């Protein structure tokens, strides 16, 4: 999941220390109070401003890097350490009145929590139009069901009912009464569920899928790579040779390569180390398969760093903009900038419906590659970063607050990035034959 965790490389504290005052982010719904040696972070809606975090000025540097301050000192911007977004802040005269107003409500007041929840999505969610969901209508339908005596369990159930139509895998709601993810069920899951029913197999779908993925991985290792498999990046990257013409690179996640959770800077360094090994081993081959079929995402920055070892020259990867007021922030252009030594051959990228989030950003960033062939299924279609928010009662949630556009302006949110050659992942025919149809197709295309 692409999310705004608060760890990473840091700035020197004097950079933020000279920005004492109150600041409001442009998009992202944050208010930041900076004092002499302390900061306080608030999450804001039009009816609330809740204190979420606080710490030393030095710790504030764990959120952001590459600080730029306007000449008049009335605005600044910085990169969030876990992503590629540059976020702008503008100075306020003081804390919003809603800070005081928020304290007048009971933390577990069902009606207040419902209103903060509804307004959070109303003001921050980027995809209502794309999803065809009328959020005003949801308020009209569900608010009458809430009163001062509504239980927390019932409140959770109502919120889940409101989120369900959005079918967005980056929406999550966490409470003591349950955890809900709003993603649509992939066709793969429906297909495998039907297989279990047809076979009167009482295994859970997750167990069945896990078994199939492990079996498919075994086939690749034994029958295609002849057990000559190298590992690196905390065993999240593996590579080898399919034959004398084709290399194979499996990237299983876009985070965690360092073995340290929530440390994107360390992951970037680990990617550099492992990709140099990959290129040393298979970089001279004229064709390279990049397998992303089980990559559920991670950090955009990690995805771009992997792409930097495969791209031919500096190219526009995508633009992104965030919800802001009734519209969006300006589009930020993000580029793939190749490292000094990159892979120069043909790329065959394998995707499935399980290819999600930052793994889709990796694919998005390679779309201008002149020798790219995408094979498999459309990706999952959850490209936006996840904005983490909190409710007064202590529940927390995530939502998609950004629009990503490909280099040509195309939006792949919800529908996924389509392959050039469409083949099913974990299709029954390939499994029965003990083959990997996507790798077979690459071998046939190359003529090896």
């Amino acid at each position: 999941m692409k999310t705004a965790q608060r760890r990473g490389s840091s700035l020197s504290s004097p950079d933020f220390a000279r920005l004492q005052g109150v600041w409001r982010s442009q998009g992202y719904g944050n208010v930041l109070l900076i004092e002499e040696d302390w900061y306080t972070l608030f999450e804001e809606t039009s009816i609330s401003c809740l204190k979420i975090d606080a710490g030393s000025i030095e710790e504030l540097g764990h959120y952001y890097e590459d600080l730029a301050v306007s000449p008049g000192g009335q605005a600044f911007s910085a990169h969030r350490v876990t992503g590629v977004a540059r976020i702008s802040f503008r100075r306020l005269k003081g804390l919003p009145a809603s800070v005081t107003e928020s304290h007048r409500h009971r933390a577990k007041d069902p009606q207040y929590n419902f209103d903060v929840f509804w307004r959070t999505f109303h003001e921050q969610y980027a995809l209502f139009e794309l999803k065809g969901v009328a959020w005003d209508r949801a308020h009209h339908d569900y608010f009458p069901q809430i009163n001062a005596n509504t239980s927390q369990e019932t409140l959770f159930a109502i919120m889940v009912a409101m989120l369900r139509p959005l079918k967005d895998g980056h929406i999550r709601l966490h409470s003591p009464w349950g955890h809900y993810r709003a993603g649509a069920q992939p066709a793969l899951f429906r297909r495998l569920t039907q297989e279990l029913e047809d076979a009167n197999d009482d295994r859970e779908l997750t167990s069945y899928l896990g078994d199939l993925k492990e079996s498919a991985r075994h086939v690749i290792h034994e029958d295609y790579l002849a057990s000559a498999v190298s590992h690196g990046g905390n065993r999240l990257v593996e590579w080898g040779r399919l034959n004398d013409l084709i290399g194979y690179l499996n990237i299983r996640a876009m985070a965690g390569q360092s073995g340290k959770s929530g440390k994107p800077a360390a992951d970037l360094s680990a990617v550099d180390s492992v990709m140099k090994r990959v290129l040393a081993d298979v970089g001279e081959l004229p064709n390279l398969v990049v397998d992303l079929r089980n990559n559920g995402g991670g950090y955009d920055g990690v995805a771009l760093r992997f792409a930097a070892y495969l791209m031919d020259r500096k190219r526009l990867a995508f633009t992104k903009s965030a919800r802001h007021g009734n519209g969006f922030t300006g589009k930020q252009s993000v580029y793939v900038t190749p490292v000094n030594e990159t892979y120069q051959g043909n790329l065959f990228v394998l995707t499935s419906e399980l290819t999600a989030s930052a793994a889709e950003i990796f694919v998005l960033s390679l779309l201008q590659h002149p020798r790219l062939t995408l094979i498999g299924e459309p990706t999952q279609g959850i490209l936006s970063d996840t904005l983490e928010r909190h409710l007064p009662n202590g529940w927390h949630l995530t939502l998609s607050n950004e629009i990503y556009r490909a280099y040509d302006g195309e939006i792949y949110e919800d529908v996924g990035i389509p392959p050039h050659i469409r083949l099913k992942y974990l299709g029954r025919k390939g499994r029965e034959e003990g083959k990997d149809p996507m790798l077979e197709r690459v071998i046939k295309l190359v003529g090896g």
Side-chain angles (χ1 to χ4, degrees), residues 193-212:
T193 298
Q194 188 62 52
E195 285 185 16
L196 289 171
E197 291 177 0
D198 292 344
N200 291 319
D201 191 325
D202 60 0
R203 271 181 293 177
E204 292 287 332
L205 174 62
T206 52
S207 174
Y208 185 43
L209 177 60
D211 290 345
L212 293 181

Side-chain angles (χ1 to χ4, degrees), residues 201-427:
D201 191 325
D202 60 0
R203 271 181 293 177
E204 292 287 332
L205 174 62
T206 52
S207 174
Y208 185 43
L209 177 60
D211 290 345
L212 293 181
K213 290 197 293 187
E214 186 58 36
S215 176
R217 191 176 178 209
H218 179 78
V219 167
I220 292 172
H221 284 198
E222 297 298 321
D223 297 344
Y224 290 90
L225 300 176
S227 298
V229 184
S230 298
H231 298 273
N234 195 30
R235 297 189 72 83
L236 292 174
V237 182
E238 55 187 33
W239 66 96
R241 295 173 177 237
L242 298 177
N243 58 37
D244 291 340
L245 297 175
I246 309 170
Y248 174 83
L249 169 64
N250 182 11
I251 305 172
R252 301 172 64 188
M254 294 301 177
Q257 280 74 19
S258 65
K260 302 172 184 176
S261 177
K263 296 287 187 180
D267 289 342
L268 292 175
S269 179
V271 169
D272 288 335
S273 176
V274 73
M275 284 304 292
K276 288 173 183 175
R277 292 174 58 198
V278 170
L279 292 183
D281 288 350
V282 300
E284 85 285 359
L285 299 179
N287 304 280
L288 179 65
V289 172
V290 183
D291 193 343
L292 301 177
R293 289 175 289 183
N294 292 302
N295 190 319
Y299 298 126
D300 282 1
V302 169
L304 287 168
R305 186 63 63 89
F306 273 117
Y309 284 86
L310 303 173
M311 185 55 90
D312 63 324
R313 62 177 176 83
K314 183 177 180 180
R315 294 181 184 270
L316 178 65
F318 52 85
T319 62
K320 63 184 296 186
S321 52
R323 269 296 304 275
H324 181 45
N326 292 323
F328 290 83
T329 59
K331 294 178 183 178
Q332 294 186 36
S333 296
V334 178
Y335 293 85
V336 182
T337 302
V339 296
N340 289 334
E341 293 186 19
T342 63
Y343 180 72
Q344 299 294 313
N346 303 307
L347 290 180
F348 298 89
V349 177
L350 311 185
T351 62
S352 77
E353 293 174 291
L354 306 180
T355 306
S357 196
E360 298 180 89
I361 302 308
F362 173 87
V363 179
L364 199 67
S365 69
L366 291 177
L367 289 182
Q368 287 204 80
H369 193 289
R371 298 176 301 280
L372 173 70
T373 303
L374 299 177
I375 300 177
E377 300 170 330
T379 60
Q380 193 169 129
I382 51 171
L383 287 82
S384 169
D385 287 351
T386 54
L387 180 67
E388 185 173 346
R389 304 292 286 186
H390 298 77
L391 299 180
N393 62 8
W395 300 358
H396 65 279
L397 55 92
T398 60
L399 57 90
S400 301
N401 74 313
E402 297 170 325
I403 295 286
Y404 278 68
R405 291 176 173 83
Y407 72 94
D408 57 0
E410 192 70 32
I411 297 174
Y412 293 110
E413 198 77 44
D414 209 32
V415 295
I417 303 170
H420 301 123
I421 299 172
R422 188 156 186 159
L423 293 172
K424 281 184 181 178
Y425 178 49
L426 298 177

Side-chain angles (χ1 to χ4, degrees), residues 215 219-220 223-224 428-437 440:
S215 176
V219 167
I220 292 172
D223 297 344
Y224 290 90
R428 176 175 280 174
K429 184 173 185 291
R431 284 161 24 216
E432 290 175 348
E433 294 176 351
K435 301 287 187 182
D436 187 317
E440 292 291 328

Side-chain angles (χ1 to χ4, degrees), residues 12-27:
S12 59
S13 54
D15 286 327
F16 277 111
R18 62 191 174 97
L19 295 175
Q20 292 180 42
V22 181
W23 305 86
R24 174 180 283 145
S25 64
Q26 304 302 291

Side-chain angles (χ1 to χ4, degrees), residues 30-77:
N30 287 326
V31 170
L32 180 62
L33 169 63
I34 300 178
E35 299 173 276
E36 184 176 356
D37 55 4
W38 198 255
Y39 80 90
T40 307
L41 181 70
F42 300 83
E43 289 177 356
E44 184 181 33
T45 73
S46 55
I47 63 164
S48 63
C49 195
L50 305 175
K51 177 182 174 181
I52 298 300
D53 200 8
S56 68
I57 292 297
E58 182 180 358
E59 290 171 331
L60 184 57
H62 297 162
Y63 284 84
Y64 303 108
E65 61 187 359
D66 193 20
L67 181 67
V69 183
S70 69
Q74 297 302 301
F76 75 85
S77 67

